[in-house]
Short mmCIF file of all heavy atoms in Angstrom, two decimals:
data_model
loop_
_atom_site.label_atom_id
_atom_site.label_comp_id
_atom_site.label_asym_id
_atom_site.label_seq_id
_atom_site.Cartn_x
_atom_site.Cartn_y
_atom_site.Cartn_z
N ARG A 1 1.17 8.21 12.96
CA ARG A 1 0.79 7.06 13.80
C ARG A 1 1.69 5.85 13.57
O ARG A 1 2.05 5.14 14.50
CB ARG A 1 -0.66 6.72 13.50
CG ARG A 1 -1.28 5.69 14.39
CD ARG A 1 -2.80 5.58 14.11
NE ARG A 1 -3.42 4.71 15.04
CZ ARG A 1 -4.54 5.00 15.72
NH1 ARG A 1 -5.14 6.18 15.58
NH2 ARG A 1 -5.08 4.14 16.55
N VAL A 2 1.99 5.57 12.32
CA VAL A 2 2.76 4.36 11.96
C VAL A 2 4.18 4.82 11.57
O VAL A 2 4.38 5.46 10.54
CB VAL A 2 2.11 3.60 10.80
CG1 VAL A 2 2.89 2.35 10.51
CG2 VAL A 2 0.66 3.28 11.15
N ARG A 3 5.13 4.46 12.39
CA ARG A 3 6.50 5.00 12.30
C ARG A 3 7.16 4.74 10.96
O ARG A 3 7.94 5.57 10.49
CB ARG A 3 7.35 4.39 13.43
CG ARG A 3 8.77 4.92 13.55
CD ARG A 3 9.40 4.37 14.81
NE ARG A 3 9.30 2.90 14.83
CZ ARG A 3 10.33 2.10 14.69
NH1 ARG A 3 11.53 2.58 14.51
NH2 ARG A 3 10.18 0.78 14.73
N SER A 4 6.90 3.61 10.32
CA SER A 4 7.57 3.24 9.08
C SER A 4 7.02 3.99 7.87
O SER A 4 7.57 3.92 6.78
CB SER A 4 7.43 1.75 8.84
OG SER A 4 6.11 1.39 8.59
N ILE A 5 5.91 4.70 8.03
CA ILE A 5 5.22 5.35 6.90
C ILE A 5 5.66 6.80 6.79
O ILE A 5 5.35 7.62 7.68
CB ILE A 5 3.69 5.23 7.00
CG1 ILE A 5 3.28 3.77 6.95
CG2 ILE A 5 3.03 6.00 5.89
CD1 ILE A 5 1.80 3.55 7.08
N GLU A 6 6.32 7.13 5.68
CA GLU A 6 6.70 8.52 5.40
C GLU A 6 5.76 9.16 4.37
O GLU A 6 5.52 10.38 4.42
CB GLU A 6 8.14 8.58 4.90
CG GLU A 6 9.15 8.13 5.94
CD GLU A 6 10.56 8.12 5.42
OE1 GLU A 6 10.77 7.78 4.23
OE2 GLU A 6 11.47 8.46 6.20
N ARG A 7 5.26 8.35 3.44
CA ARG A 7 4.34 8.85 2.44
C ARG A 7 3.26 7.79 2.21
O ARG A 7 3.49 6.59 2.48
CB ARG A 7 5.07 9.20 1.13
CG ARG A 7 6.22 10.15 1.35
CD ARG A 7 6.87 10.59 0.08
NE ARG A 7 6.04 11.60 -0.60
CZ ARG A 7 6.36 12.16 -1.76
NH1 ARG A 7 7.49 11.84 -2.35
NH2 ARG A 7 5.59 13.06 -2.30
N ILE A 8 2.12 8.20 1.67
CA ILE A 8 0.98 7.29 1.59
C ILE A 8 0.05 7.64 0.44
O ILE A 8 -0.01 8.83 0.05
CB ILE A 8 0.22 7.35 2.96
CG1 ILE A 8 -0.83 6.22 3.04
CG2 ILE A 8 -0.45 8.70 3.15
CD1 ILE A 8 -1.40 6.09 4.48
N VAL A 9 -0.57 6.62 -0.14
CA VAL A 9 -1.63 6.83 -1.15
C VAL A 9 -2.84 6.03 -0.77
O VAL A 9 -2.71 4.98 -0.10
CB VAL A 9 -1.16 6.45 -2.59
CG1 VAL A 9 -0.07 7.38 -3.10
CG2 VAL A 9 -0.66 5.00 -2.62
N PHE A 10 -4.03 6.49 -1.15
CA PHE A 10 -5.28 5.88 -0.76
C PHE A 10 -5.99 5.26 -1.93
O PHE A 10 -5.96 5.79 -3.08
CB PHE A 10 -6.17 6.93 -0.11
CG PHE A 10 -5.63 7.46 1.20
CD1 PHE A 10 -5.02 8.72 1.22
CD2 PHE A 10 -5.70 6.72 2.37
CE1 PHE A 10 -4.51 9.23 2.38
CE2 PHE A 10 -5.17 7.24 3.56
CZ PHE A 10 -4.59 8.49 3.57
N ASN A 11 -6.68 4.15 -1.68
CA ASN A 11 -7.54 3.52 -2.68
C ASN A 11 -8.79 3.02 -1.95
O ASN A 11 -9.26 3.70 -0.98
CB ASN A 11 -6.81 2.44 -3.43
CG ASN A 11 -5.93 1.59 -2.53
OD1 ASN A 11 -6.40 1.02 -1.55
ND2 ASN A 11 -4.63 1.52 -2.81
N ASN A 12 -9.35 1.90 -2.37
CA ASN A 12 -10.70 1.53 -1.86
C ASN A 12 -10.79 0.22 -1.08
O ASN A 12 -11.88 -0.10 -0.61
CB ASN A 12 -11.67 1.47 -3.05
CG ASN A 12 -11.81 2.81 -3.73
OD1 ASN A 12 -12.36 3.73 -3.16
ND2 ASN A 12 -11.31 2.92 -4.94
N SER A 13 -9.72 -0.53 -0.96
CA SER A 13 -9.83 -1.83 -0.27
C SER A 13 -8.46 -2.40 0.01
O SER A 13 -7.45 -1.93 -0.51
CB SER A 13 -10.59 -2.84 -1.16
OG SER A 13 -9.82 -3.18 -2.32
N GLY A 14 -8.43 -3.41 0.84
CA GLY A 14 -7.20 -4.11 1.11
C GLY A 14 -6.66 -4.81 -0.14
O GLY A 14 -5.43 -4.86 -0.36
N THR A 15 -7.57 -5.32 -0.96
CA THR A 15 -7.13 -5.94 -2.23
C THR A 15 -6.37 -4.98 -3.08
O THR A 15 -5.28 -5.24 -3.60
CB THR A 15 -8.35 -6.48 -2.99
OG1 THR A 15 -8.88 -7.63 -2.28
CG2 THR A 15 -7.98 -6.93 -4.38
N GLU A 16 -6.92 -3.75 -3.25
CA GLU A 16 -6.24 -2.75 -4.07
C GLU A 16 -4.92 -2.31 -3.44
O GLU A 16 -3.92 -2.10 -4.16
CB GLU A 16 -7.14 -1.53 -4.25
CG GLU A 16 -8.37 -1.79 -5.15
CD GLU A 16 -9.16 -0.52 -5.37
OE1 GLU A 16 -8.59 0.59 -5.29
OE2 GLU A 16 -10.37 -0.65 -5.60
N SER A 17 -4.89 -2.23 -2.12
CA SER A 17 -3.67 -1.81 -1.46
C SER A 17 -2.54 -2.80 -1.69
O SER A 17 -1.41 -2.41 -1.98
CB SER A 17 -3.91 -1.68 0.06
OG SER A 17 -4.89 -0.70 0.30
N VAL A 18 -2.84 -4.09 -1.54
CA VAL A 18 -1.82 -5.13 -1.76
C VAL A 18 -1.40 -5.12 -3.24
O VAL A 18 -0.20 -5.23 -3.55
CB VAL A 18 -2.35 -6.51 -1.35
CG1 VAL A 18 -1.43 -7.61 -1.86
CG2 VAL A 18 -2.51 -6.54 0.15
N LEU A 19 -2.35 -5.03 -4.16
CA LEU A 19 -2.03 -5.01 -5.57
C LEU A 19 -1.05 -3.87 -5.88
O LEU A 19 -0.03 -4.06 -6.56
CB LEU A 19 -3.32 -4.83 -6.38
CG LEU A 19 -3.27 -4.94 -7.90
CD1 LEU A 19 -4.62 -5.34 -8.44
CD2 LEU A 19 -2.85 -3.61 -8.54
N MET A 20 -1.32 -2.69 -5.33
CA MET A 20 -0.44 -1.56 -5.59
C MET A 20 0.91 -1.66 -4.89
O MET A 20 1.95 -1.22 -5.38
CB MET A 20 -1.14 -0.21 -5.22
CG MET A 20 -2.38 0.07 -6.04
SD MET A 20 -2.13 -0.04 -7.84
CE MET A 20 -0.81 1.17 -8.08
N ALA A 21 0.92 -2.25 -3.71
CA ALA A 21 2.18 -2.41 -2.97
C ALA A 21 3.11 -3.35 -3.73
O ALA A 21 4.31 -3.11 -3.87
CB ALA A 21 1.91 -2.95 -1.58
N LEU A 22 2.53 -4.44 -4.28
CA LEU A 22 3.35 -5.38 -5.04
C LEU A 22 3.84 -4.75 -6.33
O LEU A 22 4.98 -4.94 -6.73
CB LEU A 22 2.53 -6.64 -5.36
CG LEU A 22 2.18 -7.53 -4.18
CD1 LEU A 22 1.28 -8.67 -4.62
CD2 LEU A 22 3.45 -8.06 -3.52
N ARG A 23 2.99 -3.95 -6.95
CA ARG A 23 3.40 -3.27 -8.15
C ARG A 23 4.52 -2.26 -7.88
O ARG A 23 5.50 -2.16 -8.64
CB ARG A 23 2.19 -2.58 -8.78
CG ARG A 23 2.43 -2.08 -10.22
CD ARG A 23 1.15 -1.59 -10.85
NE ARG A 23 0.26 -2.73 -11.15
CZ ARG A 23 -1.00 -2.62 -11.57
NH1 ARG A 23 -1.53 -1.40 -11.74
NH2 ARG A 23 -1.71 -3.67 -11.83
N ALA A 24 4.40 -1.57 -6.78
CA ALA A 24 5.44 -0.61 -6.39
C ALA A 24 6.76 -1.32 -6.12
O ALA A 24 7.85 -0.85 -6.51
CB ALA A 24 5.03 0.17 -5.16
N ALA A 25 6.70 -2.48 -5.44
CA ALA A 25 7.90 -3.25 -5.12
C ALA A 25 8.60 -3.73 -6.43
O ALA A 25 9.82 -3.69 -6.52
CB ALA A 25 7.56 -4.44 -4.23
N ARG A 26 7.77 -4.19 -7.38
CA ARG A 26 8.35 -4.63 -8.66
C ARG A 26 9.02 -3.48 -9.39
O ARG A 26 10.11 -3.63 -9.96
CB ARG A 26 7.27 -5.28 -9.51
CG ARG A 26 6.80 -6.65 -8.99
CD ARG A 26 5.82 -7.29 -9.96
NE ARG A 26 5.43 -8.62 -9.52
CZ ARG A 26 4.21 -8.94 -9.06
NH1 ARG A 26 3.30 -8.02 -8.98
NH2 ARG A 26 3.96 -10.17 -8.69
N ALA A 27 8.34 -2.33 -9.38
CA ALA A 27 8.91 -1.18 -10.08
C ALA A 27 10.20 -0.70 -9.42
O ALA A 27 11.19 -0.37 -10.11
CB ALA A 27 7.91 -0.06 -10.11
N TYR A 28 10.23 -0.69 -8.11
CA TYR A 28 11.38 -0.19 -7.37
C TYR A 28 12.59 -1.13 -7.51
O TYR A 28 13.73 -0.68 -7.68
CB TYR A 28 11.03 -0.01 -5.89
CG TYR A 28 12.10 0.61 -5.07
CD1 TYR A 28 12.27 1.99 -5.04
CD2 TYR A 28 12.95 -0.18 -4.28
CE1 TYR A 28 13.26 2.58 -4.29
CE2 TYR A 28 13.95 0.41 -3.52
CZ TYR A 28 14.11 1.78 -3.52
OH TYR A 28 15.10 2.36 -2.77
N THR A 29 12.33 -2.44 -7.46
CA THR A 29 13.44 -3.40 -7.48
C THR A 29 13.82 -3.87 -8.90
O THR A 29 14.93 -4.40 -9.13
CB THR A 29 13.12 -4.64 -6.67
OG1 THR A 29 11.96 -5.31 -7.28
CG2 THR A 29 12.79 -4.29 -5.23
N GLY A 30 12.90 -3.74 -9.86
CA GLY A 30 13.13 -4.29 -11.18
C GLY A 30 12.98 -5.79 -11.27
O GLY A 30 13.35 -6.40 -12.28
N ARG A 31 12.47 -6.42 -10.24
CA ARG A 31 12.24 -7.86 -10.20
C ARG A 31 10.72 -8.12 -10.26
O ARG A 31 9.93 -7.24 -10.10
CB ARG A 31 12.79 -8.44 -8.91
CG ARG A 31 14.24 -8.07 -8.62
CD ARG A 31 14.64 -8.44 -7.20
NE ARG A 31 15.96 -7.93 -6.81
CZ ARG A 31 16.44 -7.97 -5.59
NH1 ARG A 31 15.70 -8.51 -4.60
NH2 ARG A 31 17.63 -7.48 -5.34
N HIS A 32 10.37 -9.39 -10.50
CA HIS A 32 8.92 -9.66 -10.62
C HIS A 32 8.40 -10.77 -9.68
O HIS A 32 7.21 -10.84 -9.44
CB HIS A 32 8.55 -10.01 -12.05
CG HIS A 32 9.28 -11.19 -12.63
ND1 HIS A 32 8.76 -12.46 -12.48
CD2 HIS A 32 10.45 -11.32 -13.30
CE1 HIS A 32 9.61 -13.32 -13.07
NE2 HIS A 32 10.62 -12.64 -13.57
#
């Protein structure tokens, strides 16, 4: 449905989703 999404993980809320997205971005880029 969403063209930019190739892989996905599920949790329980928008808060958790944002928390994990930011954590993923930090891990991927090495920045904080």
Side-chain angles (χ1 to χ4, degrees):
R1 187 172 186 132
V2 183
R3 185 172 53 110
S4 67
I5 297 178
E6 295 178 323
R7 307 186 75 179
I8 191 169
V9 292
F10 296 101
N11 41 56
N12 298 292
S13 68
T15 291
E16 290 184 27
S17 298
V18 168
L19 188 156
M20 295 309 301
L22 292 175
R23 192 171 289 172
R26 289 187 176 109
Y28 186 82
T29 64
R31 308 168 187 170
H32 60 89

